[in-house]
Amino acid sequence: MFRVRSAFHRTRLAIAALFCFLGFQYATWTSRLPALTSRLDLSAQELGLLLMACGVGAAASFPLVSALMRRLGSRRLAFVSALSLAVLLPALYLAPNYPVALVVICCDGVAAGGLNVAMNAQGSALEVRHGRTTMAQLHATFSAGSLAAALLASGTSLFTTSLTAHFLAATVVLALLLGYSRPRLLTDEPVTGERATDGPVGDEPATDERATGELASDAPPKRETKRRRGPVLPSRATLWMGLAMVFGTVTEGAMNDWSALYMEDVVHASPQLVPMGIAVVSVMMVVARLVADGWRSRWGDARVVRYGSALAGTGLALALLTGGVLPTLVGFACVGLGVAAVTPCVYVAAAAQGPEALSLVAATGTTGLLAGPALIGFVAGATSLVWGMAVVAASALAVSLCATRIRWRTPETPETPETPEPPGTGPAQAAPAR
């Protein structure tokens, strides 16, 4: 039987299973929206509200998720959120009417928000613990999960049109992913009181008794602090991260929703080439995320985000000015390549600020995905789609400006990744998990 011996790779596979889980669960029910619409007899407006309910639930989950991160830690929050998503999937096809479906989808958004924060906290903690970059590849597995869900939906439809059969099969896949990941995730302790902002979510605090090497010697002396009560106001750094995430997700979401229409109405591409717009963006984004961790290790997150978002904005702007099918596809490729590493890097920076920052940044990302396509539609309706896409280019350039105000992590040298060392022998061994 194949076994992964390296602790880093074993944990990375477990966290990747969570990313795949979320992409698979989301794409499973969205791929069957026509069947759900027919079963519940929904109008176009009711379907739009159903989709909005999921996003609103995810965006509104920030206070709850922040509190649960402090109380439960990322490992237990990931399990609770993923288990809820696995239960909500069959609950959706069992919903007897539209109001119940709305409640189920809103709860699905809240659970998705919790899993999103927890799995990114786990990924960030893994990078800190092992001194290696991996977050971009983890985000690529979300796309892999979405692709797997689409293939399962297509394959199931060849044999039956039953939603029950499809969703039950999908629930089994989700159970397998959750069962694999849970025992292999990083362990952490609930964050309470003074520990709220001591370090990245998922890592134990470095103390003289529980850490060795650099982690112990570099730790600043502890100060007595009072337990904070009431809501914690976000810091200026967190606000800049939130803005970067909003502009980044506006760019990403708008390209997904408007690229095909731009190819058809503005570029006047043939019907065979119209889908190539979103295909180019998606392929370049997945490929870039598979290799972006190498860029992060070599140049650091700051340069990757600044130069990548500048490439995206400049490339798209030049495509809008030039026109034509080929320049447009090249510009779309620049967007996919440039923004691919934005969200992984911002999540890493936010996780280093604590659970409140990570939860807020995740909520702003959902807000950007919700507001972006609508904003482009409003601008396109008032002027033209060219100006709407110009807003997308401006959003990408705004990410580059925000990136100059964020405190990023610096590239680190891996610690003998091929052969794991026995516990307690590494020069900068992380604090043991309990």
Side-chain angles (χ1 to χ4, degrees):
M1 180 179 179
F2 174 74
R3 299 184 64 183
V4 181
R5 297 183 179 275
S6 167
F8 172 80
H9 290 94
R10 184 166 57 248
T11 306
R12 183 172 66 172
L13 284 176
I15 301 172
L18 291 180
F19 278 83
C20 183
F21 181 105
L22 186 57
F24 186 90
Q25 197 270 356
Y26 178 76
T28 293
W29 67 264
T30 54
S31 66
R32 300 307 299 269
L33 280 177
L36 288 170
T37 301
S38 176
R39 189 175 73 83
L40 297 174
D41 193 22
L42 303 181
S43 65
Q45 293 78 10
E46 288 173 329
L47 178 59
L49 183 59
L50 188 72
L51 293 173
M52 182 68 71
C54 181
V56 169
S61 66
F62 157 61
L64 175 63
V65 171
S66 178
L68 290 177
M69 275 289 293
R70 292 168 59 85
R71 184 174 182 84
L72 301 178
S74 59
R75 179 188 175 111
R76 283 189 285 179
L77 178 59
F79 174 72
V80 171
S81 301
L83 185 62
S84 300
L85 288 171
V87 172
L88 287 168
L89 186 60
L92 180 59
Y93 74 77
L94 292 175
N97 51 49
Y98 178 62
V100 174
L102 273 177
V103 174
V104 172
I105 286 297
C106 186
C107 294
D108 187 277
V110 173
L115 181 56
N116 184 35
V117 171
M119 68 188 189
N120 278 285
Q122 283 275 318
S124 177
L126 178 66
E127 290 195 343
V128 172
R129 188 164 295 187
H130 292 272
R132 302 179 62 177
T133 55
T134 189
M135 187 69 90
Q137 291 182 352
L138 292 176
H139 277 254
T141 60
F142 176 91
S143 301
S146 299
L147 175 61
L151 292 177
L152 177 63
S154 178
T156 305
S157 64
L158 295 176
F159 300 97
T160 178
T161 59
S162 170
L163 277 177
T164 303
H166 176 205
F167 279 20
L168 284 178
T171 303
V172 171
V173 175
L174 294 176
L176 292 174
L177 289 171
L178 181 57
Y180 174 81
S181 67
R182 191 195 178 200
R184 298 169 177 85
L185 294 175
L186 295 174
T187 55
D188 52 11
E189 294 178 357
V191 182
T192 58
E194 301 83 354
R195 292 182 54 203
T197 57
D198 284 347
V201 177
D203 281 347
E204 300 288 338
T207 63
D208 291 339
E209 293 80 14
R210 299 187 60 193
T212 60
E214 291 182 27
L215 293 182
S217 61
D218 292 346
K222 279 194 172 183
R223 295 178 295 178
E224 292 295 329
T225 57
K226 295 181 180 180
R227 183 182 296 272
R228 294 176 296 181
R229 296 182 180 180
V232 180
L233 296 177
S235 65
R236 185 177 300 177
T238 301
L239 292 177
W240 281 113
M241 293 176 199
L243 284 174
M245 183 65 81
V246 166
F247 289 127
T249 52
V250 163
T251 303
E252 186 175 338
M255 292 302 298
N256 289 333
D257 289 1
W258 289 99
S259 58
L261 193 59
Y262 182 86
M263 290 285 292
E264 181 177 10
D265 292 351
V266 178
V267 180
H268 304 296
S270 65
Q272 294 79 14
L273 289 177
V274 165
M276 289 300 296
I278 183 60
V280 167
V281 175
S282 300
V283 169
M284 291 303 296
M285 186 169 292
V286 172
V287 171
R289 283 180 172 171
L290 289 175
V291 300
D293 288 317
W295 302 342
R296 296 174 58 213
S297 296
R298 178 173 298 180
W299 298 307
D301 291 3
R303 291 182 178 179
V304 170
V305 173
R306 286 203 303 265
Y307 297 154
S309 54
L311 171 66
T314 304
L316 181 57
L318 291 175
L320 297 177
L321 293 173
T322 305
V325 173
L326 183 58
T328 298
L329 292 177
V330 172
F332 286 4
C334 289
V335 175
L337 179 66
V339 303
V342 169
T343 51
C345 292
V346 175
Y347 274 126
V348 170
Q353 300 296 318
E356 291 90 357
L358 181 59
S359 302
L360 178 61
V361 167
T364 58
T366 303
T367 302
L369 286 174
L370 285 173
L375 174 63
I376 304 309
F378 176 79
V379 174
T383 55
S384 68
L385 187 52
V386 175
W387 282 106
M389 295 299 284
V391 173
V392 180
S395 295
L397 294 174
V399 174
S400 185
L401 295 177
C402 293
T404 63
R405 311 295 298 177
I406 297 174
R407 182 181 301 172
W408 301 98
R409 57 166 287 176
T410 56
E412 301 177 47
T413 303
E415 299 176 12
T416 59
E418 287 77 12
T419 56
E421 297 174 316
T425 61
Q429 182 78 12
R434 291 184 176 176

